[in-house]
Amino acid sequence: MPPFDPSALGFATRAVHAGTGPDAATGARAQPIYFTNGFVFESNEQAADIFAMRATGFSYSRGSNPTVAALERRVASLEGAKAAVAVSSGQSAVLLVMLTLMQSGDAYVASSRLFGGSLGLMRRLETRYDLTPHFTRGLTPEDFEAAITPKTRAIVCESIVNPCGAVTDLAGIAAVARRHGLPLVVDNTLASPALIRPIEHGADIVVHSTSKFLSGSGTVIGGIICDAGRFDWKGSGRYNLINEPWPDYDGLVVSEKFPETSFATACRLFGLRDLGPGLSPMNAFLTLTGTETLPLRMERHCSNARAVAGFLRDHPKVAWVSYPSLPGQPGEETANRYVPNGAGAIFTVALKGGQQAALDFITGLDLISHLVNIGEIKSLAIHPATTTHRQLRDEERAAAFVGPETVRLSIGLESVEDLIADVAQSLAKLP
């Protein structure tokens, strides 16, 4: 009988089993939570070897912890990555990717439609550290190619755009990235690997806010960075943290010693050992538990979102709905190609009565909570123009489909009839 090959298992099976197994010491079937900040070394030589990257092992939980490592292995398996690095938040994940790829004076191409927190971070990195984003005019591959300059070091986009729900042509953008020898970075938070696995479409780096669909419960904060392991870092002639010697690690060159996990290794050395945004083992454990039901939850999220979006689209007090899985919606063809079972659970809806109607609609909801998170089992609503995207300029909010009349909905797992009834009663109270 051939040896057991976890990579040959189906997605739902890997969501339950990948990265974990019965505990060797106790036989416990659930992943143990290793609440410890440090680990005892077997010898002086082992301690020195681990700190010099001559050997693998646990030393201090800021850099790695057995519970966190289990989550990293699972998400890497679900995304089809060679390695993953878990961090304290999705915002930390985006930050570490940027700082590992670039140094002062470098530039990158970024989608014009991104989560407001990512856009705010990019603006701060530009003004304080001279890392310049060149934003695309639209979402087509041609838009991304037109923004590339000689200083460009990466292309950054989201698989499903927060908050408008547009689905990105990842394969087309990946082809642009390959032509120019650039890594493609994809934020896959809104899709989760249950809907889209960007590496299969050509992405080189995938990030998540694990606070959303991966954990699903709305109880934890976390982020993760996945390394596809196939970008030719050494051949690029760029990326000093990956291709130049590290004096504090005895001249280690990451791309030479870790050719298949170069980016993940550089992220761990610089991001976790130097900057320090490590993930709590309890948060890792709760996220591992959440991933076990991810495939089932995403099916229900998508079916509920399609039904609620369809109801809103046909309501007389609604100006428009941005959910590309609805027939006749902009981006429908791309959505059907990448997410035939539904474009996730997040979308925006614009009220004909303007900003006051949008605010009153949120206030009038009973079942759907007024809450800033997304991707939870509970349905949520927020007014992006005055919260998550308030720091954007007017033209940037318009490009992101978050004008003053717009509400972002994150549709959960409740009975769809109850969700529609809640939306209907709140709309009925509007003038």
Side-chain angles (χ1 to χ4, degrees), residues 39-59:
F39 302 84
V40 174
F41 299 114
E42 296 176 0
S43 66
N44 291 325
E45 290 76 18
Q46 184 203 29
D49 286 344
I50 289 174
F51 270 82
M53 297 297 289
R54 291 190 296 266
T56 59
F58 298 104
S59 59

Side-chain angles (χ1 to χ4, degrees), residues 86-318:
V87 294
S88 59
S89 69
Q91 192 80 340
S92 291
V94 175
L95 174 64
L96 295 196
V97 168
M98 296 293 189
L99 295 184
T100 303
L101 283 175
M102 291 176 287
Q103 54 189 323
S104 182
D106 286 341
Y108 57 99
V109 172
S111 171
S112 56
R113 298 190 198 175
L114 290 171
F115 167 56
S118 298
L119 291 169
L121 171 63
M122 289 173 177
R123 184 171 294 122
R124 204 81 67 191
L125 290 176
E126 179 180 18
T127 57
R128 290 183 64 86
Y129 303 107
D130 194 23
L131 303 179
T132 304
H134 293 288
F135 291 106
T136 64
R137 292 178 62 87
L139 294 180
T140 69
E142 293 76 16
D143 290 322
F144 282 83
E145 190 151 32
I148 294 173
T149 73
K151 291 187 176 182
T152 300
R153 296 294 178 264
I155 295 177
V156 182
C157 66
E158 294 175 351
S159 56
I160 297 179
V161 178
N162 183 359
C164 68
V167 179
T168 305
D169 181 6
L170 295 178
I173 298 168
V176 171
R178 284 194 301 274
R179 281 198 298 273
H180 292 269
L182 299 169
L184 174 59
V185 181
V186 177
D187 185 333
N188 200 34
T189 298
L190 265 64
S192 89
L195 297 183
I196 299 176
R197 290 175 289 281
I199 291 170
E200 295 178 1
H201 301 291
D204 301 292
I205 300 162
V206 176
V207 299
H208 286 271
S209 169
T210 61
S211 322
K212 279 64 175 181
F213 292 107
L214 289 178
S215 62
S217 60
T219 56
V220 297
I221 298 292
I224 201 160
I225 302 162
C226 299
D227 181 357
R230 63 186 177 208
F231 186 79
D232 184 9
W233 300 104
K234 191 172 182 180
S236 71
R238 306 163 176 165
Y239 312 105
N240 64 320
L241 288 180
I242 298 173
N243 287 319
E244 295 179 9
W246 290 59
D248 44 345
Y249 289 96
D250 300 329
L252 168 73
V253 177
V254 171
S255 60
E256 293 178 357
K257 182 154 187 179
F258 304 97
E260 289 194 331
T261 59
S262 298
F263 186 77
T265 302
C267 268
R268 191 176 301 280
L269 291 179
F270 176 59
L272 293 184
R273 291 197 180 182
D274 290 349
L275 300 180
L279 181 66
S280 156
M282 175 58 82
N283 285 13
F285 172 81
L286 291 172
T287 306
L288 273 168
T289 303
T291 62
E292 293 174 354
T293 59
L294 177 65
L296 293 173
R297 287 188 286 109
M298 294 310 293
E299 288 181 12
R300 182 65 170 264
H301 277 301
C302 289
S303 64
N304 277 2
R306 184 186 287 109
V308 174
F311 173 82
L312 285 165
R313 177 196 57 187
D314 297 333
H315 197 281
K317 293 182 182 179
V318 170

Side-chain angles (χ1 to χ4, degrees), residues 391-404:
Q391 75 274 33
L392 272 61
R393 295 183 286 268
D394 289 344
E395 63 272 18
E396 291 173 329
R397 283 197 291 267
F401 284 80
V402 286

